[in-house]
């Protein structure tokens, strides 16, 4: 467990120092803004769909370290993936963060994203980690603005199914 914790801290620090795909995206076909009033996180996700593939993606905003690291890893992971694969990852990440996905017994595609599994034990951080994914889901579905406190709260809303 100590190794997992060390890796988690290392990954968070690394992605905060050098966030991947941070900034604006020219010619974005889809974008959305996400808020997490609980922590004050506010991010924007912009992406460009080329047919069914996420050709380019970028994020920016003001957020805590966990949210920023999650957004950075998310953009690096879904870039080049199909919309369907991205929706699968959104669902799996959410399920992992809220403790619904058992990483050892259930199949998943999260890879390095499993460093965020520890947030399930930090209730106030769950929404920070989920916010970028929730915002990506909104962007893919052309919902301009979303909030972790909205009716379509990621904790309860069915995600995917596209
Ligand atoms: Zn936060």
């Amino acid at each position: 467990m100590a190794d997992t914790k060390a890796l988690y801290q290392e990954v968070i620090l690394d992605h905060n120092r050098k966030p991947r795909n941070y900034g604006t995206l020219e010619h974005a076909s889809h974008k959305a803004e996400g808020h997490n009033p609980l922590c004050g996180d506010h991010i924007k996700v912009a992406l460009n769909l080329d047919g069914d593939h996420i050709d380019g993606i970028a994020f920016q905003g003001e957020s805590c370290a966990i949210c920023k690291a999650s957004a950075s890893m998310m953009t690096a992971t879904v870039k080049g993936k199909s919309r369907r694969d991205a929706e699968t990852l959104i669902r799996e990440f959410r399920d992992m963060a809220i403790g619904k996905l058992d990483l050892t017994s259930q199949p998943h595609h999260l890879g390095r994203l499993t460093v965020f599994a520890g947030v399930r034990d930090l209730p106030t951080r769950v929404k920070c980690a989920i916010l970028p994914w929730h915002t990506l889901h909104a962007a893919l579905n052309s919902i301009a603005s979303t909030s972790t406190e909205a009716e379509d709260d990621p904790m309860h809303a069915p995600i995917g199914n596209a």
Side-chain angles (χ1 to χ4, degrees):
M1 279 297 121
D3 284 354
T4 313
K5 205 164 192 178
L7 178 65
Y8 171 72
Q9 277 162 359
E10 186 195 309
V11 168
I12 302 266
L13 282 175
D14 176 49
H15 282 266
N16 273 286
R17 261 196 308 263
K18 299 173 290 178
R20 321 298 197 265
N21 307 299
Y22 190 86
T24 52
L25 186 71
E26 278 185 59
H27 313 301
S29 62
H30 294 65
K31 49 180 136 181
E33 279 186 52
H35 298 264
N36 173 18
L38 234 57
C39 170
D41 305 313
H42 177 203
I43 64 162
K44 295 179 185 181
V45 172
L47 60 96
N48 189 44
L49 272 185
D50 178 16
D52 192 41
H53 281 76
I54 298 173
D55 186 45
I57 182 165
F59 80 100
Q60 59 179 330
E62 296 291 323
S63 70
C64 66
I66 290 177
C67 182
K68 194 172 180 183
S70 178
S72 173
M73 283 188 82
M74 176 188 80
T75 57
T77 306
V78 303
K79 199 171 184 174
K81 291 220 163 41
S82 72
R83 186 186 180 128
R84 178 180 285 271
D85 287 348
E87 292 281 7
T88 299
L89 284 165
I90 290 166
R91 195 173 55 243
E92 289 179 353
F93 189 92
R94 181 200 59 179
D95 287 352
M96 171 182 72
I98 63 175
K100 226 175 91 182
L101 176 70
D102 182 350
L103 294 172
T104 53
S105 68
Q106 289 172 272
H108 63 84
H109 311 81
L110 293 167
R112 290 263 292 175
L113 293 166
T114 54
V115 294
F116 286 97
V119 299
R120 76 178 67 181
D121 300 320
L122 307 164
T124 55
R125 300 323 235 168
V126 169
K127 290 186 177 186
C128 299
I130 287 181
L131 182 67
W133 298 84
H134 192 43
T135 309
L136 172 63
H137 176 70
L140 282 170
N141 291 280
S142 302
I143 303 164
S145 172
T146 187
S147 165
T148 53
E149 302 303 300
E151 297 224 325
D152 57 344
D153 188 306
M155 310 294 226
H156 307 291
I159 289 182
N161 208 26

